[in-house]
Amino acid sequence: MNIIARRGVIYGLIIGVTAILLSTAIFFISAFRQSAGVPEQILIALVLGGIATALFGPVRTGTEALVDKLFYKDRYDYRQIIQSVSTALNSVKDVTEISHLVVSVIVSTLNLAGGALFLRTQRSSFDVGATQGIFSDADKQALLVTLMSGRNKLIEFPNPATNAFSDLAFLVPLTAGGKEVGFLCVSRKASRQAFSSDDRFLLQGLAAIAAMALYGAMLLRDVSVRDTFVSVASHELRTPLTVILGYTELLLRRDPPDSTRKQWLKNIFDNSQRISSMVDDLLNVSRIQSGRINIKLDRVKLSDVLKEALTFARESTGKHEFVVDMDPDLPEVQLDRDKFGQVVGNLLSNAVKYSPAGGRITLAVRNDKGQHRVVVSVSDQGIGIEPEDKERLFTTFHRIQRPETQGIRGSGLGLYIAKEWTEAMGGKIWLESELNKGSTFFVAMPTNYPSESNQRNNA
Ligand code: ADP
């Protein structure tokens, strides 16, 4: 229907323009009829006829463009868009960038109120890949994940099975290589118009190429994680082991004075601890990735857990000043005492490591009653983090390579484990940072949990 109307308008306009030209020609011919002879009249008619024919093409294209602009803003060629997205995806290898590209094309082409792409994680849950518009809200995202969990077919809304979301139009699973790599959330159009068959073809086409691109990027990432694993593990295990072997050999061969012996033993002890913590990190990553995070939730007095983590951090440095800033009316919080202690301990140890010139480290705890949560934060005045590195820090083995981080030891696993554990306890972790000024890491734990369940096992 649309196309017929469109053609009608276009040809109407072309006929109008041609009619104007012809009437001008007739007008000229009759005006010059008296003074001009027959050959001149024929010549004028031929010239005007030629002009009308030459103008037909450009007039038609121009009129079509004008009509499209005025009446058919939403028209697009879905094959062309799929083709250009597919070409653009060839040069993008990162899952987050792929997600952003796909969501922004879908939202802008279909003029949606919002769009989101969720990525399947190794522990069979979903992470946000990209969001736009109405799906930027964290509570909505959690709801979307619940709606999609355990399903692998396109869901169209409104849907009798759920009325949770009035703005949601489609949940589209993304599958490639026989594997579910994520899903796409599509809101209703901002104009509230219904989805046409072209819109559906576009969605299906983009979902298929997005799934392929994500699948490829995930495979590549796994390979590079494996490579990084080998290089980090060999460096982080091999280096301390070499130091231990060197000093034990020295101790066996020589008989140094007491003070030297103590120093050598301390070196052996420190490096053994380094190996032990690396092995712990690797075991924790393996548990997380095979879905075996064992969380034991208890009602805990936060100040007790934080004091332990703080004592350890204080002992590890002589260069830093520690400031504690706690709200006086903190409620008891439901969490896994050991794991939460290790999360905060890791943030404090990073604050020390990544402010090598010293400075103030602030441990703050706020009771955010409005949002029913307690927020623990660790701030430093160290080297800071660039915005584009923020999200990647929470993935396995990601370490920022900058001149300032050269020589600072680490495995790139601490923040990954911290994020997985925090989320498994029902919390959230994020950061704010300014390059060369310092960073603040936040961990928020809910305080409005159901009272009867005090034990959760993610097995
Ligand atoms: P590790 O410290 O063992 O490398 P993490 O997972 O704890 O691993 O941290 C990952 C990366 O994040 C670090 O390598 C570092 O580049 C960066 N980082 C973490 N905490 C800070 C901080 N407080 N300030 C600046 N950079 C940080």
Side-chain angles (χ1 to χ4, degrees):
M1 245 352 250
N2 243 351
I3 291 173
I4 294 168
R6 182 167 173 258
R7 293 262 172 271
V9 176
I10 291 167
Y11 286 113
L13 281 172
I14 296 174
I15 288 166
V17 173
T18 322
I20 291 170
L21 283 172
L22 282 176
S23 20
T24 319
I26 292 162
F27 171 77
F28 273 113
I29 291 169
S30 39
F32 287 110
R33 213 172 38 173
Q34 319 299 346
S35 53
V38 175
E40 281 92 346
Q41 286 175 17
I42 292 173
L43 191 69
I44 292 171
L46 281 175
V47 168
L48 285 170
I51 294 174
T53 315
L55 284 180
F56 184 80
V59 167
R60 181 189 163 165
T61 320
T63 321
E64 250 180 337
L66 185 73
V67 169
D68 274 351
K69 208 166 162 197
L70 291 177
F71 302 110
Y72 301 99
K73 290 199 268 297
D74 299 341
R75 283 198 70 79
Y76 60 86
D77 181 344
Y78 71 90
R79 289 183 216 89
Q80 210 177 352
I81 293 185
I82 291 172
Q83 176 68 47
S84 55
V85 171
S86 168
T87 313
L89 285 178
N90 281 337
S91 53
V92 185
K93 295 281 168 272
D94 178 82
V95 287
T96 317
E97 282 173 47
I98 296 172
S99 313
H100 278 287
L101 179 70
V102 172
V103 169
S104 77
V105 169
I106 289 180
V107 169
S108 63
T109 313
L110 298 181
N111 188 20
L112 301 178
L117 197 155
F118 290 78
L119 300 164
R120 168 79 67 201
T121 65
Q122 279 143 326
R123 63 195 154 90
S124 303
S125 150
F126 292 102
D127 267 351
V128 178
T131 60
Q132 224 173 297
I134 57 161
F135 297 133
S136 306
D137 177 76
D139 290 342
K140 277 193 179 155
Q141 289 166 7
L143 200 58
L144 289 168
V145 168
T146 324
L147 281 177
M148 198 62 201
S149 291
R151 309 193 189 187
N152 58 3
K153 286 216 166 63
L154 183 141
I155 315 175
E156 189 166 351
F157 297 84
N159 186 314
T162 169
N163 55 2
F165 247 130
S166 58
D167 294 321
L168 189 57
F170 298 101
L171 287 179
V172 190
L174 303 177
T175 23
K179 212 177 139 203
E180 194 190 350
V181 291
F183 70 95
L184 200 60
C185 301
V186 178
S187 81
R188 307 228 320 239
K189 292 190 178 185
S191 61
R192 296 282 159 182
Q193 274 179 322
F195 285 84
S196 66
S197 53
D198 276 10
D199 295 340
R200 286 163 196 267
F201 286 138
L202 178 80
L203 274 179
Q204 279 165 0
L206 286 182
I209 56 170
M212 279 310 293
L214 288 169
Y215 181 64
M218 283 171 176
L219 284 181
L220 265 182
R221 189 180 59 183
D222 288 351
V223 171
S224 95
V225 164
R226 228 160 280 155
D227 287 354
T228 326
F229 167 79
V230 173
S231 88
V232 171
S234 58
H235 182 259
E236 279 302 298
L237 295 173
R238 187 86 220 151
T239 314
L241 201 59
T242 312
V243 177
I244 294 169
L245 286 173
Y247 281 109
T248 34
E249 200 184 355
L250 276 177
L251 278 170
L252 287 171
R253 283 226 236 117
R254 298 200 195 150
D255 192 13
D258 260 5
S259 60
T260 314
R261 180 192 302 273
K262 241 186 173 167
Q263 185 53 51
W264 289 358
L265 282 171
K266 182 165 184 328
N267 291 346
I268 293 174
F269 180 75
D270 287 349
N271 281 282
S272 311
Q273 265 196 331
R274 206 173 138 192
I275 294 182
S276 159
S277 83
M278 179 70 194
V279 171
D280 280 347
D281 280 356
L282 290 173
L283 284 176
N284 285 326
V285 170
S286 144
R287 283 192 196 109
I288 290 167
Q289 297 194 343
S290 57
R292 288 182 290 119
I293 318 178
N294 194 6
I295 297 284
K296 292 189 182 66
L297 295 178
D298 280 318
R299 290 287 179 88
V300 170
K301 218 173 143 199
L302 261 188
S303 52
D304 292 349
V305 187
L306 298 179
K307 251 180 230 152
E308 277 172 37
L310 199 62
T311 311
F312 195 74
R314 273 202 172 110
E315 278 169 9
S316 71
T317 172
K319 273 192 199 168
H320 298 81
E321 176 204 352
F322 285 85
V323 175
V324 179
D325 175 11
M326 281 196 205
D327 267 357
D329 64 334
L330 288 176
E332 282 194 339
V333 183
Q334 191 165 279
L335 42 80
D336 184 311
R337 197 190 173 90
D338 268 5
K339 292 200 166 56
F340 192 79
Q342 286 186 55
V343 169
V344 179
N346 181 262
L347 298 183
L348 286 166
S349 128
N350 278 351
V352 171
K353 277 200 299 189
Y354 298 103
S355 50
R360 196 183 321 119
I361 293 176
T362 309
L363 174 65
V365 191
R366 293 269 162 271
N367 185 6
D368 181 358
K369 288 183 187 152
Q371 297 211 48
H372 306 288
R373 61 184 192 171
V374 164
V375 183
V376 177
S377 65
V378 176
S379 314
D380 64 57
Q381 299 176 313
I383 61 171
I385 295 159
E386 286 191 277
E388 54 267 33
D389 280 316
K390 278 187 183 173
E391 278 307 314
R392 294 199 187 121
L393 289 189
F394 296 100
T395 59
T396 42
F397 298 115
H398 191 82
R399 304 204 71 213
I400 300 169
Q401 304 301 338
R402 275 166 55 193
E404 295 86 340
T405 56
Q406 298 268 303
I408 303 180
R409 283 181 199 156
S411 61
L413 293 176
L415 287 179
Y416 168 75
I417 296 170
K419 178 173 188 270
E420 296 294 325
W421 281 356
T422 305
E423 289 177 358
M425 287 185 268
K428 201 181 152 208
I429 187 166
W430 72 99
L431 74 109
E432 285 170 10
S433 183
E434 211 179 321
L435 202 61
N436 301 322
K437 292 252 167 71
S439 313
T440 304
F441 283 81
F442 300 87
V443 182
M445 295 302 300
T447 50
N448 57 344
Y449 30 77
S451 54
E452 64 283 4
S453 77
N454 72 338
Q455 180 110 355
R456 185 144 68 106
N457 194 336
N458 273 26

